[in-house]
Amino acid sequence: MASKSEAPEPKSPPGAGKDSSRFKEGPPLYASVSKGSDTDGNGTKQKPFKTVLHCLLSIDIEQCPEIYVDGREKAEWDLISKNAFKNVMKAYRKAKLEAEPKAKPTTALPQKQSDIYIKMDPTLPPAISVKIRGTSKCIGKRIKVQGWVDSKRQQGKNMIFVILRDGSGFLQCLLIGNQCLTPEALALSLESTVSIWGEVGYVKEGQSAPGGLEVVADYWELVGSSPSGGTEAIVNETSKVELQLDQRHLMLRTEPLANTFRLRSGITQCFREHYFAKGYVEVTPPTLVQTQVEGGSTLFKLNYFGQPAYLTQSSQLYLETVIPSLGDVFCISQSYRAEGSHTRRHLSEYTHIEGECPFVTFDELLDSLEDIIVDVAQRVMDSSFGKLLREVNPKFVVPKRPFKRITYADAIKYLREHDIKKDDDTYYEYGEDIPEKPERTMTDQIDSPVMLIRFPVNIKSFYMAKCADNPDETESVDVLLPGVGEVIGGSMRSSKYDELLEGFKREGIDPKPYYWYLDQRKFGTCPHGGYGLGLDRFLTWILGKFHIREVVLYPRLTDRCTP
Ligand code: 4AD
């Protein structure tokens, strides 16, 4: 990121201040249109120069003494006015620029070392250090911007158009004259970092540039060079996927990926706003744990100072422990699954948004899941990120409530009726898990969000509450979204101590390490429910991406833990 701190700037031009005290000491200079001469004068009272410009050209500008000009009314001499001095300074700078040594006629190749160097003009006003997003507020002012060379176009020998990128936007910067002929300019490559000083203004009519703005540089510096051709020479959007993933750190500089992560940030913010608007409290549970939540087969095991431990699969159990003191709670935390599944919606590490609510009924829980999808999607569309989302996924529309609610038993029937079969050409039977492929086929056919409810006890986790009207089924739900499939998994929790113990037994889990979780059922139990939403899957859906890895900074997949 470009630093906000300001580099030492040249001092204000002498005399540009409020009074004459800013002139340096030394014999004053005189200029008289009527009595002076720029060829025979020497700047004294007796032999004044004709023009103030000549006075300035005759001295070291850093040591500029007082300058007197023809007096008005009865006075013979007047100290030059602030405005007059400012105008002459402009002419002085132009004259100096023109007087700078010109590049030798170049038979030289661009790579050849140049002996031309540039210096910042110390008489220029101090620059305001800005991010590119702030430049439109600085029209006519001298600014300093810093960033990466996103693109570059040379026009003739003495003009380089640079499109500068700093994460906050893009800005056209124009390097002119000797600024284009220094060794750094001749070797300037894409992705180099630069600092540019100059006045910001609108581009000329008929020309186009990002935001319609342009900085005409009065000085620039190279901060960090980059290999010739920039990152494009190594990887680009047409490269093979594996190369793009190996070079993810370079691909992240491309605009499509930058937009994805801008939206990821904005959408995460909308989730938080949704929860805070409803009075939830955010908590941050640990991810190093000694208990499982979603089955031993997807646990990442590790050695925790000699004790067995895991990377968490879900923060649910910890959320359950804070509802007695905080009420409705949520967390946005990393979860880990040692999944064998090599699909376009599975990650080994993902961002899990989990909520837990005391004293809700199953129907209220289902309503709240519908609400989180619709409300967050609407918030994003209404936010400052809405425009970008519409650009990235023009087809996106906020889904309508209510979502279809289909029982697991009816889903099994649906698969049969629509001839959706297993790989061995047989139908799914009641009691079998519905894997990703058939689930996604069904969701895509229905083409709107679906809530699959009431899964059988035997395919769900130990903590799920049983349905009051059928102890073989659980008060559970998967929310399926078109194009992605399951995005939320939730349930009511077993609130009775004995039912929970039975769940541990059924799953072959030793209840001892769960003493703190079981205590919740001893110290004032309550009906409660919650859910986990995979943020990466939600983003895949809302951004209309094909593969989940597209929305993850550095995806962790079965065969990838780098970079
Ligand atoms: O359905 P799951 O396994 O539910 C739980 O973990 C509950 N304990 C959550 C809770 O009730 N607090 O996972 C919830 C969601 C899934 O619907 C999916 O969106 C996401 O987490 N998810 C994954 N996302 C990417 N890669 C994986 N391997 C995922 N596994 C689950």
Side-chain angles (χ1 to χ4, degrees), residues 52-53 55 58 99 125 301 359 441 453 513:
V52 179
L53 177 61
C55 293
S58 72
K301 299 188 178 67
F359 297 108
T441 311
I453 55 172

Side-chain angles (χ1 to χ4, degrees), residues 328-475:
D328 295 339
V329 287
F330 80 99
C331 71
I332 302 181
S333 189
Q334 296 302 92
S335 280
Y336 302 86
R337 302 284 166 107
E339 298 263 12
S341 320
H342 195 86
T343 76
R344 63 184 173 93
R345 72 173 199 196
H346 280 98
L347 295 163
S348 309
E349 176 179 6
Y350 69 97
T351 304
H352 209 167
I353 302 186
E354 297 184 85
E356 197 69 30
C357 306
F359 297 108
V360 284
T361 64
F362 186 40
D363 279 338
E364 285 166 346
L365 178 70
L366 297 183
D367 291 346
S368 74
L369 300 194
E370 221 165 64
D371 189 41
I372 195 164
I373 301 273
V374 176
D375 182 59
V376 170
Q378 192 60 56
R379 280 174 189 273
V380 179
M381 292 301 258
D382 296 344
S383 75
S384 56
F385 294 94
K387 187 167 165 273
L388 184 56
L389 178 62
R390 276 180 272 266
E391 274 167 37
V392 169
N393 185 9
K395 289 197 202 131
F396 182 73
V397 281
V398 176
K400 296 246 173 326
R401 288 181 243 219
F403 294 174
K404 266 195 181 61
R405 294 180 186 186
I406 305 178
T407 63
Y408 163 87
D410 283 343
I412 293 288
K413 272 193 223 149
Y414 180 100
L415 297 181
R416 192 174 281 267
E417 282 162 16
H418 290 77
D419 208 27
I420 302 169
K421 292 179 178 172
K422 293 193 246 179
D423 285 346
D424 65 3
D425 214 30
T426 59
Y427 287 111
Y428 289 94
E429 301 293 341
Y430 184 94
E432 281 181 325
D433 192 22
I434 304 176
E436 191 221 356
K437 213 167 119 204
E439 181 193 273
R440 201 148 36 79
T441 311
M442 182 176 75
T443 322
D444 289 351
Q445 283 178 3
I446 296 171
D447 199 24
S448 63
V450 172
M451 286 179 148
L452 264 193
I453 55 172
R454 296 177 65 115
F455 288 86
V457 169
N458 69 303
I459 58 167
K460 284 294 181 186
S461 299
F462 67 89
Y463 57 77
M464 291 195 182
K466 290 178 180 171
C467 294
D469 59 353
N470 181 356
D472 293 334
E473 290 180 355
T474 53
E475 288 188 312

Side-chain angles (χ1 to χ4, degrees), residues 293-295 298 313-317 319-320 331 335-339 341 343 345-356 365 460-461 463-464 477-480 484-493 529-538 548 552 556:
V293 191
E294 297 299 332
T298 60
Q313 297 167 308
S314 157
S315 299
Q316 174 198 327
L317 307 191
L319 292 192
E320 286 187 57
C331 71
S335 280
Y336 302 86
R337 302 284 166 107
E339 298 263 12
S341 320
T343 76
R345 72 173 199 196
H346 280 98
L347 295 163
S348 309
E349 176 179 6
Y350 69 97
T351 304
H352 209 167
I353 302 186
E354 297 184 85
E356 197 69 30
L365 178 70
K460 284 294 181 186
S461 299
Y463 57 77
M464 291 195 182
V477 54
D478 281 358
V479 181
L480 318 178
V484 182
E486 184 199 326
V487 168
I488 303 183
S491 75
M492 294 299 289
R493 322 304 192 189
Y531 57 89
L533 177 150
L535 176 64
D536 315 271
R537 288 190 187 175
F538 183 90
I548 195 165
V552 183
R556 296 298 181 237

